[in-house]
Amino acid sequence: MGKNTGFVDYARRDNPAEVPEERVGHWQEFHRPLPLAERVEQGGRCMNCGVPFCQSGCAYGGEIFGCPLHNLIPEWNDMVWNQNLGHALSRLLKNNNFPEFTGRVCPALCERACVCAVAGKEPVSVRENELGIIEDAFSQDRMQPRIPKVRSGNTVAIVGSGPAGLACADQLNHRGHSVTVFERDDRPGGLLMYGIPNMKLDKAVVARRVALMAAEGVVFRTGVDISSRKQAKRLLDQYDCVVLACGATQPRAYPAAPADTTGVSFAVPFLKAATMELLDQGKVNPLNAGGKDVVVIGAGYTSSDCVATALRQGCHSVTQLIRKPAGLARQRRGLWGPLPAEHDYAVEEAAARFGYDPRQYETTVTGLVTDEESGALTGVKTQKVRWKEEDGTLRQESVPGTEEEIPAGLLLIANGFSGCEPAVLKAFELEDGKNGGVSSGASHRTANEKVFVAGDMRRGASLVVWAIAEGRAAAAEADEFLTGYKSL
């Protein structure tokens, strides 16, 4: 695969990013693709490994190493090296329904499992090669509708149009089943549309894929909220099976900062409002951070997206409060060591705008300061914490004398998610499981033989690549239920 000495001859190259000082002034994607000649060299860096861990997606010691989709990475890297992008596309689409999404927002678990690292070299730029292949395909009109020639006569309802729901719909549609996707928001895409900011994933990219799926026969119905027992029964009566891919959108409460306070919001409603304001020009956004002192609670991708969004809206200042120590807050391990904190793009932008790192580690919020008359937020009370290990467990304790008040006109809580919204579970008579997912073991089936679950709703909040893998797996089980045999 590739060039035998490619990993020695060529240095790793990533898609260049626009400098923070410039990109913070707009909402467009800020990574620019490499020229084809340089992309070919990157394909040549693939080593023809005896065991390509990059595509393994295997579990070991509680970790997942390599791509959960088992992408045929060495194969399409070889096709890139040979400048056969059409064949590269055919191999890429074997395992990944939406490489234009993973090529933009996946943290590249494949690269952390690249054997190049054993030789002391930088891993192959897998994610960006993937993005180059699919974007070339769209630009060269290779991505044409593939309409099933024969329909099975079976009907499937999919609730939720995030990456899991879309992947499931794509798989089942190509098997010939008639698929209808229900989405409660005004646009399909779920977290792809309203959870990931435009500068990381342009919404035109999501709309492009939805339009292609619609041309292939998938029906999208937006503005439909399937969260009552009556609506659930209607779907079960009208469709041969139902797949629930409703996400894990229930935010985890933060007791010291009640979300019903004016000026306090959970992260996803803030990000959604920002995207709606961008797409629907003139739409009033009460959560706009313009001119405000913004405080963000959290250390993950969503908190960084909040920081970056607030900067683009013209906030007066931004502070990110992280309860854990720096080394512990962002540890995400791969096969050869910790993953890089790719969400530090927002830190670079804050430094460019204000000249400082917005993160304050080992700091927790203890209360709010509000205006006596209006009740609106004016500040946040904080206190330092320290960590100590007891019986192998890290425990937190407050540090006396470190209390402080930070000015704040907007507090954003990016404290994680506790699972699927209870109304959906109640409507379909399902139960919560561990980690915020629906209890269904290793299967995507539920107690009702006609109902399947997929994505974050089943496994708890996770990555887009895992959601796609979940959608594909749920589609395989639903297809077996509909046809009586295994195919997908």
Side-chain angles (χ1 to χ4, degrees):
M1 300 293 177
K3 184 181 180 184
N4 288 343
T5 59
F7 69 100
V8 175
D9 297 339
Y10 306 126
R12 175 188 168 100
R13 288 289 308 278
D14 295 311
N15 290 352
E18 188 178 352
V19 296
E21 292 83 356
E22 295 178 3
R23 73 191 191 222
V24 76
H26 63 76
W27 294 92
Q28 284 72 48
E29 292 180 0
F30 55 84
H31 284 97
R32 303 290 179 260
L34 290 173
L36 178 59
E38 293 188 26
R39 180 63 60 217
V40 167
E41 289 184 353
Q42 294 307 301
R45 295 188 70 243
C46 203
M47 295 173 61
N48 190 16
C49 306
V51 179
F53 290 105
C54 59
Q55 67 184 41
S56 62
C58 63
Y60 179 77
E63 305 269 1
I64 296 293
F65 303 124
C67 178
L69 289 169
H70 309 294
N71 267 320
L72 305 175
I73 294 164
E75 296 185 32
W76 45 257
N77 268 329
D78 183 50
M79 292 299 102
V80 172
W81 167 247
N82 286 286
Q83 301 188 51
N84 189 344
L85 296 182
H87 194 183
L89 176 69
S90 70
R91 305 311 292 165
L92 176 58
L93 293 179
K94 287 285 185 183
N95 291 56
N96 190 348
N97 301 72
F98 312 125
E100 68 270 34
F101 302 153
T102 54
R104 286 174 165 86
V105 301
C106 182
L109 305 177
C110 51
E111 295 184 13
R112 302 317 127 198
C114 179
V115 179
C116 271
V118 175
K121 300 293 183 180
E122 289 290 317
V124 174
S125 54
V126 177
R127 180 182 63 185
E128 294 174 342
N129 289 359
E130 175 181 75
L131 182 58
I133 294 169
I134 189 64
E135 288 303 322
D136 172 81
F138 273 109
S139 67
Q140 299 299 319
D141 291 329
R142 294 194 186 98
M143 295 299 294
Q144 295 298 317
R146 295 181 294 128
I147 302 172
K149 295 180 180 179
V150 178
R151 288 291 178 182
S152 67
N154 295 312
T155 58
V156 182
I158 297 178
V159 183
S161 66
L166 291 179
C168 188
D170 195 46
Q171 292 289 98
L172 292 174
N173 179 62
H174 285 132
R175 273 288 285 151
H177 306 306
S178 297
V179 179
T180 302
V181 179
F182 294 88
E183 170 57 53
R184 66 179 175 181
D185 283 326
D186 60 337
R187 294 177 174 90
L191 68 84
L192 298 169
M193 178 61 68
Y194 286 131
I196 301 173
N198 199 77
M199 60 277 191
K200 291 176 66 175
L201 175 59
D202 195 304
K203 303 316 161 192
V205 173
V206 182
R208 179 181 66 183
R209 174 58 72 167
V210 169
L212 179 61
M213 293 178 64
E216 293 175 335
V218 178
V219 176
F220 290 92
R221 292 188 59 189
T222 56
V224 182
D225 187 357
I226 309 294
S227 60
S228 71
R229 181 59 188 155
K230 180 179 179 180
Q231 292 164 320
K233 185 178 185 304
R234 179 171 59 85
L235 290 192
L236 292 170
D237 290 341
Q238 293 180 359
Y239 292 87
D240 295 312
C241 80
V242 176
V243 181
L244 303 178
C246 305
T249 56
Q250 184 73 10
R252 185 178 291 121
Y254 200 96
D260 58 356
T261 305
T262 302
V264 178
S265 172
F266 288 111
V268 171
F270 168 73
L271 295 174
K272 178 180 178 179
T275 298
M276 294 185 74
E277 183 180 21
L278 181 66
L279 297 178
D280 302 325
Q281 296 296 321
K283 189 178 184 69
V284 177
N285 177 12
L287 294 176
N288 192 295
K292 299 176 183 176
D293 295 303
V294 178
V295 175
V296 180
I297 299 174
Y301 294 107
T302 303
S303 60
S304 291
D305 291 342
C306 287
V307 171
T309 298
L311 290 169
R312 283 164 175 76
Q313 290 180 338
C315 63
H316 180 261
S317 69
V318 62
T319 304
Q320 184 178 355
L321 303 179
I322 301 171
R323 185 169 52 91
K324 295 180 180 179
L328 184 64
R330 299 191 171 200
Q331 188 177 19
R332 295 172 179 266
R333 293 195 58 78
L335 184 57
W336 309 118
L339 290 175
E342 296 186 7
H343 38 314
D344 284 348
Y345 82 101
V347 174
E348 295 178 345
E349 294 173 356
R353 173 65 64 84
F354 297 122
Y356 61 83
D357 186 330
R359 297 171 294 187
Q360 293 187 18
Y361 290 102
E362 298 181 87
T363 305
T364 187
V365 172
T366 59
L368 304 179
V369 182
T370 58
D371 181 81
E372 291 185 2
E373 294 184 4
S374 67
L377 181 74
T378 60
V380 172
K381 298 178 181 179
T382 69
Q383 187 173 26
K384 290 293 184 181
V385 297
R386 55 177 167 238
W387 296 80
K388 59 181 180 180
E389 186 172 337
E390 294 180 359
D391 301 324
T393 302
L394 280 175
R395 301 189 184 280
Q396 167 193 318
E397 62 179 26
S398 301
V399 180
T402 60
E403 297 82 1
E404 185 180 0
E405 288 188 10
I406 300 175
L410 180 62
L411 174 64
L412 302 173
I413 304 172
N415 194 42
F417 304 91
S418 60
C420 181
E421 295 178 20
V424 177
L425 300 175
K426 184 177 180 180
F428 287 90
E429 299 181 334
L430 302 176
E431 295 181 359
D432 280 317
K434 63 180 181 179
N435 300 323
V438 173
S439 180
S440 57
S443 173
H444 295 261
R445 297 175 181 268
T446 68
N448 186 328
E449 66 173 3
K450 292 182 64 174
V451 180
F452 300 80
V453 290
D456 290 359
M457 182 175 180
R458 191 188 80 92
R459 63 179 285 121
S462 189
L463 304 172
V464 168
V465 67
W466 268 114
I468 296 172
E470 283 275 313
R472 290 171 65 91
E477 293 189 38
D479 179 62
E480 182 182 3
F481 167 75
L482 293 170
T483 62
Y485 65 94
K486 293 183 178 180
S487 175
L488 291 177

